[in-house]
Tab-separated table of all heavy atoms in Angstrom:
chain	number	residue	atom	x	y	z
A	1	LEU	N	7.210	-21.216	-8.020
A	1	LEU	CA	6.661	-19.987	-7.707
A	1	LEU	C	5.742	-20.194	-6.486
A	1	LEU	O	4.887	-21.024	-6.528
A	1	LEU	CB	5.942	-19.330	-8.921
A	1	LEU	CG	6.503	-19.260	-10.159
A	1	LEU	CD1	5.544	-18.850	-11.271
A	1	LEU	CD2	7.736	-18.167	-10.081
A	2	LEU	N	5.837	-19.340	-5.475
A	2	LEU	CA	5.073	-19.451	-4.148
A	2	LEU	C	4.189	-18.300	-4.270
A	2	LEU	O	4.407	-17.162	-4.087
A	2	LEU	CB	6.001	-19.473	-2.936
A	2	LEU	CG	5.339	-19.756	-1.626
A	2	LEU	CD1	4.864	-21.107	-1.546
A	2	LEU	CD2	6.338	-19.395	-0.540
A	3	VAL	N	2.821	-18.609	-4.401
A	3	VAL	CA	1.821	-17.546	-4.545
A	3	VAL	C	0.867	-17.677	-3.470
A	3	VAL	O	0.302	-18.561	-3.136
A	3	VAL	CB	1.143	-17.646	-5.920
A	3	VAL	CG1	0.407	-18.953	-6.140
A	3	VAL	CG2	0.211	-16.473	-6.014
A	4	MET	N	0.590	-16.488	-2.748
A	4	MET	CA	-0.425	-16.440	-1.665
A	4	MET	C	-1.620	-15.513	-2.142
A	4	MET	O	-1.410	-14.859	-3.228
A	4	MET	CB	0.164	-15.746	-0.391
A	4	MET	CG	0.559	-14.277	-0.547
A	4	MET	SD	0.809	-13.440	0.993
A	4	MET	CE	2.211	-14.265	1.662
A	5	PRO	N	-2.680	-15.612	-1.562
A	5	PRO	CA	-3.757	-14.764	-2.001
A	5	PRO	C	-3.503	-13.184	-1.688
A	5	PRO	O	-2.367	-12.980	-1.050
A	5	PRO	CB	-4.968	-15.189	-1.065
A	5	PRO	CG	-4.591	-16.514	-0.576
A	5	PRO	CD	-3.048	-16.512	-0.568
A	6	PRO	N	-4.318	-12.359	-2.290
A	6	PRO	CA	-3.956	-10.940	-1.894
A	6	PRO	C	-3.875	-10.620	-0.332
A	6	PRO	O	-4.517	-11.416	0.364
A	6	PRO	CB	-5.109	-10.187	-2.534
A	6	PRO	CG	-5.776	-11.197	-3.580
A	6	PRO	CD	-5.493	-12.389	-3.091
A	7	TYR	N	-3.089	-9.791	-0.050
A	7	TYR	CA	-2.948	-9.483	1.434
A	7	TYR	C	-3.465	-8.073	1.686
A	7	TYR	O	-3.636	-7.240	0.763
A	7	TYR	CB	-1.527	-9.650	1.990
A	7	TYR	CG	-0.439	-8.984	1.094
A	7	TYR	CD1	-0.060	-7.714	1.343
A	7	TYR	CD2	0.196	-9.671	0.053
A	7	TYR	CE1	0.928	-7.033	0.614
A	7	TYR	CE2	1.216	-9.029	-0.625
A	7	TYR	CZ	1.490	-7.726	-0.318
A	7	TYR	OH	2.477	-7.018	-1.084
A	8	PHE	N	-3.537	-7.726	2.962
A	8	PHE	CA	-4.108	-6.424	3.482
A	8	PHE	C	-5.484	-6.370	3.432
A	8	PHE	O	-6.208	-6.415	4.400
A	8	PHE	CB	-3.355	-5.289	2.945
A	8	PHE	CG	-3.689	-3.875	3.691
A	8	PHE	CD1	-2.960	-3.683	4.904
A	8	PHE	CD2	-4.544	-2.993	3.324
A	8	PHE	CE1	-3.276	-2.624	5.681
A	8	PHE	CE2	-4.888	-1.942	4.038
A	8	PHE	CZ	-4.185	-1.699	5.194
A	9	PHE	N	-6.061	-6.046	2.214
A	9	PHE	CA	-7.566	-6.026	2.142
A	9	PHE	C	-8.142	-7.374	2.195
A	9	PHE	O	-7.554	-8.371	1.671
A	9	PHE	CB	-7.927	-5.304	0.833
A	9	PHE	CG	-7.540	-3.858	0.809
A	9	PHE	CD1	-6.548	-3.414	-0.165
A	9	PHE	CD2	-8.108	-2.951	1.563
A	9	PHE	CE1	-6.090	-2.085	-0.125
A	9	PHE	CE2	-7.790	-1.590	1.560
A	9	PHE	CZ	-6.693	-1.115	0.670
A	10	ARG	N	-9.378	-7.532	2.749
A	10	ARG	CA	-9.942	-8.811	2.874
A	10	ARG	C	-10.977	-9.130	1.771
A	10	ARG	O	-11.704	-8.268	1.385
A	10	ARG	CB	-10.608	-8.901	4.305
A	10	ARG	CG	-9.754	-8.821	5.458
A	10	ARG	CD	-8.766	-9.921	5.383
A	10	ARG	NE	-7.708	-9.916	6.425
A	10	ARG	CZ	-6.748	-10.752	6.616
A	10	ARG	NH1	-6.648	-11.842	5.806
A	10	ARG	NH2	-5.867	-10.645	7.595
A	11	TYR	N	-10.888	-10.357	1.271
A	11	TYR	CA	-11.667	-10.760	0.202
A	11	TYR	C	-12.344	-12.209	0.495
A	11	TYR	O	-11.899	-12.860	1.447
A	11	TYR	CB	-10.866	-11.042	-1.089
A	11	TYR	CG	-10.302	-9.796	-1.650
A	11	TYR	CD1	-8.943	-9.432	-1.307
A	11	TYR	CD2	-11.067	-9.013	-2.431
A	11	TYR	CE1	-8.449	-8.247	-1.945
A	11	TYR	CE2	-10.538	-7.717	-2.993
A	11	TYR	CZ	-9.289	-7.425	-2.678
A	11	TYR	OH	-8.754	-6.227	-3.116
A	12	ALA	N	-13.550	-12.423	-0.001
A	12	ALA	CA	-14.200	-13.679	0.225
A	12	ALA	C	-13.482	-14.787	-0.535
A	12	ALA	O	-12.650	-14.561	-1.454
A	12	ALA	CB	-15.695	-13.524	-0.326
A	13	GLN	N	-13.764	-16.040	-0.166
A	13	GLN	CA	-13.186	-17.246	-0.898
A	13	GLN	C	-13.361	-17.272	-2.306
A	13	GLN	O	-12.563	-17.751	-3.160
A	13	GLN	CB	-13.598	-18.450	-0.217
A	13	GLN	CG	-13.047	-18.664	1.133
A	13	GLN	CD	-11.573	-18.773	1.263
A	13	GLN	OE1	-10.992	-19.663	0.554
A	13	GLN	NE2	-11.027	-17.833	1.890
A	14	GLU	N	-14.504	-16.694	-2.816
A	14	GLU	CA	-14.845	-16.584	-4.310
A	14	GLU	C	-13.703	-15.807	-4.970
A	14	GLU	O	-13.182	-16.123	-6.019
A	14	GLU	CB	-16.198	-16.029	-4.585
A	14	GLU	CG	-17.258	-16.913	-4.149
A	14	GLU	CD	-17.643	-16.938	-2.718
A	14	GLU	OE1	-16.986	-16.088	-1.907
A	14	GLU	OE2	-18.542	-17.608	-2.299
A	15	GLU	N	-13.283	-14.606	-4.329
A	15	GLU	CA	-12.241	-13.843	-4.943
A	15	GLU	C	-10.885	-14.553	-4.805
A	15	GLU	O	-9.996	-14.382	-5.662
A	15	GLU	CB	-12.272	-12.372	-4.363
A	15	GLU	CG	-13.326	-11.430	-4.666
A	15	GLU	CD	-14.613	-11.664	-4.103
A	15	GLU	OE1	-14.530	-11.955	-2.812
A	15	GLU	OE2	-15.588	-11.553	-4.795
A	16	VAL	N	-10.601	-15.273	-3.682
A	16	VAL	CA	-9.462	-15.917	-3.537
A	16	VAL	C	-9.275	-16.934	-4.658
A	16	VAL	O	-8.158	-17.011	-5.319
A	16	VAL	CB	-9.183	-16.575	-2.076
A	16	VAL	CG1	-8.103	-17.529	-2.024
A	16	VAL	CG2	-9.184	-15.504	-1.032
A	17	ARG	N	-10.262	-17.718	-4.866
A	17	ARG	CA	-10.265	-18.720	-6.012
A	17	ARG	C	-10.069	-18.050	-7.326
A	17	ARG	O	-9.169	-18.478	-8.072
A	17	ARG	CB	-11.530	-19.533	-6.000
A	17	ARG	CG	-11.631	-20.610	-4.869
A	17	ARG	CD	-12.760	-21.596	-5.186
A	17	ARG	NE	-14.000	-20.928	-5.068
A	17	ARG	CZ	-14.778	-20.779	-3.958
A	17	ARG	NH1	-14.294	-21.309	-2.841
A	17	ARG	NH2	-16.046	-20.162	-3.952
A	18	GLU	N	-10.750	-16.945	-7.538
A	18	GLU	CA	-10.562	-16.333	-8.884
A	18	GLU	C	-9.207	-15.809	-9.156
A	18	GLU	O	-8.544	-15.918	-10.160
A	18	GLU	CB	-11.689	-15.138	-8.954
A	18	GLU	CG	-11.705	-14.542	-10.359
A	18	GLU	CD	-12.473	-15.523	-11.363
A	18	GLU	OE1	-13.021	-16.537	-10.964
A	18	GLU	OE2	-12.377	-15.216	-12.567
A	19	PHE	N	-8.640	-15.129	-8.016
A	19	PHE	CA	-7.284	-14.633	-8.126
A	19	PHE	C	-6.210	-15.635	-8.446
A	19	PHE	O	-5.426	-15.638	-9.455
A	19	PHE	CB	-6.913	-13.936	-6.700
A	19	PHE	CG	-5.472	-13.363	-6.697
A	19	PHE	CD1	-5.426	-11.931	-6.915
A	19	PHE	CD2	-4.439	-14.076	-6.313
A	19	PHE	CE1	-4.044	-11.451	-6.841
A	19	PHE	CE2	-3.199	-13.566	-6.278
A	19	PHE	CZ	-2.944	-12.183	-6.493
A	20	LEU	N	-6.388	-16.862	-7.761
A	20	LEU	CA	-5.376	-17.830	-7.888
A	20	LEU	C	-5.546	-18.689	-9.234
A	20	LEU	O	-4.583	-18.998	-9.822
A	20	LEU	CB	-5.480	-18.766	-6.671
A	20	LEU	CG	-4.911	-18.150	-5.358
A	20	LEU	CD1	-5.219	-19.020	-4.221
A	20	LEU	CD2	-3.431	-17.894	-5.405
A	21	MET	N	-6.786	-18.940	-9.647
A	21	MET	CA	-6.928	-19.432	-10.908
A	21	MET	C	-6.479	-18.577	-12.072
A	21	MET	O	-5.855	-19.037	-12.999
A	21	MET	CB	-8.401	-19.884	-11.103
A	21	MET	CG	-8.867	-21.109	-10.158
A	21	MET	SD	-7.898	-22.670	-10.497
A	21	MET	CE	-8.469	-23.074	-12.133
A	22	ARG	N	-6.729	-17.351	-11.978
A	22	ARG	CA	-6.337	-16.410	-13.018
A	22	ARG	C	-4.793	-16.318	-13.128
A	22	ARG	O	-4.180	-16.237	-14.205
A	22	ARG	CB	-6.985	-15.031	-12.907
A	22	ARG	CG	-8.450	-15.040	-13.149
A	22	ARG	CD	-8.885	-13.645	-13.575
A	22	ARG	NE	-10.309	-13.566	-13.708
A	22	ARG	CZ	-10.961	-12.536	-14.285
A	22	ARG	NH1	-10.291	-11.419	-14.690
A	22	ARG	NH2	-12.343	-12.552	-14.353
A	23	PHE	N	-4.271	-16.427	-11.887
A	23	PHE	CA	-2.776	-16.440	-11.867
A	23	PHE	C	-2.251	-17.742	-12.572
A	23	PHE	O	-1.299	-17.555	-13.349
A	23	PHE	CB	-2.312	-16.507	-10.357
A	23	PHE	CG	-0.788	-16.547	-10.195
A	23	PHE	CD1	-0.036	-15.325	-10.257
A	23	PHE	CD2	-0.130	-17.753	-10.109
A	23	PHE	CE1	1.337	-15.490	-10.154
A	23	PHE	CE2	1.167	-17.842	-10.015
A	23	PHE	CZ	1.995	-16.676	-10.045
A	24	ALA	N	-2.797	-18.796	-12.277
A	24	ALA	CA	-2.462	-19.998	-12.961
A	24	ALA	C	-2.556	-19.971	-14.517
A	24	ALA	O	-1.749	-20.511	-15.174
A	24	ALA	CB	-3.258	-21.227	-12.368
A	25	ASP	N	-3.630	-19.337	-14.951
A	25	ASP	CA	-3.934	-19.224	-16.360
A	25	ASP	C	-2.780	-18.345	-16.992
A	25	ASP	O	-2.449	-18.780	-18.127
A	25	ASP	CB	-5.201	-18.453	-16.552
A	25	ASP	CG	-6.470	-19.324	-16.228
A	25	ASP	OD1	-6.230	-20.534	-16.169
A	25	ASP	OD2	-7.538	-18.722	-16.047
C-alpha cells in the first residue's frame, strides 16, 4: 500500500504524523 499524507488542505507535521500512524494502526 502506497500512502501519502492528506492533499489539498495544508497540515502541520504533527497532523501528518498522526494521520500516518493512525493509518498504520
